[in-house]
Amino acid sequence: MGRVISCCNAKGGTGKTTVALNLASIFASHFRKKVLAIDLDPQGNLAVGLGVDPREIRKTTFRLLMDDAPDMDQYIQKIKPNLDLIPNALEPNMEAMLSSRRNRERLLESRLQPLKDRYDFIILDTPPALETSTINAMVASDEILIVIDCGYYALYGLNQLMETLSEVQREFQKYDLVIRALVNLFDQRQKMDREVREEVERFFESLMLETVIHKNVKLTEAASSGKPILEYDKKSSGYFDFTRLSKELLDIYDRKRKAEKEGTASRAR
Ligand SMILES: Nc1ncnc2c1ncn2[C@@H]1O[C@H](COP(=O)(O)OP(=O)(O)O)[C@@H](O)[C@H]1O
Ligand SMILES: [Mg+2]
């Protein structure tokens, strides 16, 4: 069964899209996993970062959520071997239309159900707000990756995000939902970045991933030229960090699978 991972933070510019697209492409290309990336953000940046011309986007995630009997293959765009995408785009009144639907928080979960055995990973990029589409992503997820930048207001809004996640866990009986924190845009030379990292560590404790994504201009250049970092610059620190992140996550899942087999699941993260 495919593992559904959401990149979340109610704050913009923390690197959610950067993480979603690079994680998806490294899982797919380097580790030969079958990956579906889905954009829940109406700004549609995920498609741009994967080289899709926004003018060629027709079937969006929003339309999928509004479609009661979707033909999934109409929505899924093939990007590369092992990597598919459902893009998103801005339309008027999206939030109002979504929030007036019955079962509005479970729309994505039910759309993904028949897809889960077709993919190893389904990676969701979410908007910088706690709105209906973000809640849909949380409800559909096995795992939340909170992407945190090292700026002035890095910790701003994290309490509210954690509270929303607790509500989702309670209301939708998602007691297995895994939460992890990832520090992005880190510059070891900056005192503030080191302080933010320590603060994030104190806040998240064992939920922190060991890998940190350093600030690396190649990641921005890659995204703006429509390429994941592994196609843009394999010598960059960005490529190194994302490969390390993918490896760290895959190792965690392997350990978990082994522990489940041996009946010691509770001891594995
Ligand atoms: N580690 C990084 N190093 C350098 N630039 C980054 C890094 N992560 C993200 N960026 C850049 O910061 C901006 C915001 O990142 P993005 O992934 O779009 O954030 P979000 O999706 O959370 O709004 C983009 O221009 C992106 O290229
Ligand atoms: Mg984004």
Side-chain angles (χ1 to χ4, degrees):
M1 284 290 264
R3 188 169 180 81
V4 184
I5 305 173
S6 277
C7 298
C8 289
N9 193 328
K11 193 175 159 224
T14 69
K16 292 177 286 299
T17 304
T18 304
V19 171
L21 82 91
N22 285 299
L23 201 56
S25 68
I26 290 182
F27 274 169
S29 134
H30 208 93
F31 294 97
R32 305 265 182 275
K33 303 291 179 188
K34 285 201 66 70
V35 182
L36 171 63
I38 304 181
D39 198 355
L40 273 303
D41 188 349
Q43 290 182 58
N45 292 343
L46 192 61
V48 180
L50 289 170
V52 176
D53 184 340
R55 287 168 302 187
E56 274 160 28
I57 292 173
R58 299 277 177 277
K59 294 279 195 181
T60 61
T61 312
F62 171 66
R63 294 287 173 99
L64 170 66
L65 297 182
M66 298 298 289
D67 186 345
D68 284 324
D71 170 3
M72 291 307 298
D73 290 315
Q74 296 254 315
Y75 288 91
I76 296 173
Q77 276 180 244
K78 299 219 165 304
I79 301 294
K80 309 212 150 68
N82 292 333
L83 180 58
D84 294 347
L85 169 74
I86 305 180
N88 210 6
L90 195 60
E91 287 182 49
N93 301 322
M94 293 168 93
E95 175 63 19
M97 284 165 83
L98 271 182
S99 59
S100 66
R101 299 299 306 258
R102 213 162 52 83
N103 258 336
R104 59 187 173 155
E105 285 116 344
R106 285 197 185 267
L107 298 169
L108 183 65
E109 183 189 45
S110 69
R111 306 297 186 267
L112 293 189
Q113 210 51 48
L115 293 181
K116 278 190 149 192
D117 54 4
R118 280 168 55 180
Y119 295 97
D120 297 307
F121 292 100
I122 300 178
I123 297 183
L124 312 178
D125 187 15
T126 66
L130 295 171
E131 55 194 31
T132 307
S133 57
T134 311
I135 306 296
N136 263 274
M138 291 173 173
V139 172
S141 289
D142 298 298
E143 175 167 343
I144 307 291
L145 210 53
I146 302 176
V147 182
I148 302 160
D149 68 303
C150 288
Y152 275 115
Y153 297 106
L155 291 135
Y156 182 82
L158 286 181
N159 278 318
Q160 206 195 343
L161 175 63
M162 294 303 278
E163 221 160 86
T164 305
L165 283 166
S166 298
E167 272 166 36
V168 165
Q169 284 174 312
R170 272 198 310 276
E171 200 173 320
F172 298 91
Q173 272 102 52
K174 292 188 62 78
Y175 302 112
D176 292 338
L177 181 67
V178 175
I179 296 166
R180 297 183 212 281
L182 172 69
V183 169
N184 182 31
L185 283 154
F186 181 70
D187 183 345
Q188 176 66 35
R189 292 163 302 184
Q190 302 295 326
K191 185 160 170 265
M192 189 179 73
D193 290 24
R194 297 197 301 273
E195 284 169 2
V196 168
R197 185 181 175 178
E198 278 166 24
E199 244 178 290
V200 172
E201 248 160 5
R202 273 196 297 278
F203 188 92
F204 285 101
E205 298 178 340
S206 66
L207 306 179
M208 273 282 283
L209 286 162
E210 269 171 36
T211 306
V212 164
I213 310 290
H214 294 81
K215 198 171 284 172
N216 178 211
V217 69
K218 298 284 177 190
L219 289 165
T220 310
E221 290 174 17
S224 55
S225 66
K227 287 183 176 155
I229 192 68
L230 95 161
E231 281 172 38
Y232 187 79
D233 188 347
K234 278 198 173 177
K235 291 199 181 77
S236 62
S237 75
Y239 175 68
F240 177 84
D241 288 344
F242 273 104
T243 308
R244 193 163 167 228
L245 173 67
S246 311
K247 187 88 179 44
E248 181 179 1
L249 288 170
L250 292 174
D251 283 347
I252 291 172
Y253 307 145
D254 270 350
R255 281 204 301 277
K256 200 169 165 189
R257 212 168 301 127
K258 275 193 199 123
E260 272 163 8
K261 257 195 203 150
E262 291 160 8
T264 52
S266 57
R267 261 181 271 153
R269 255 212 297 168

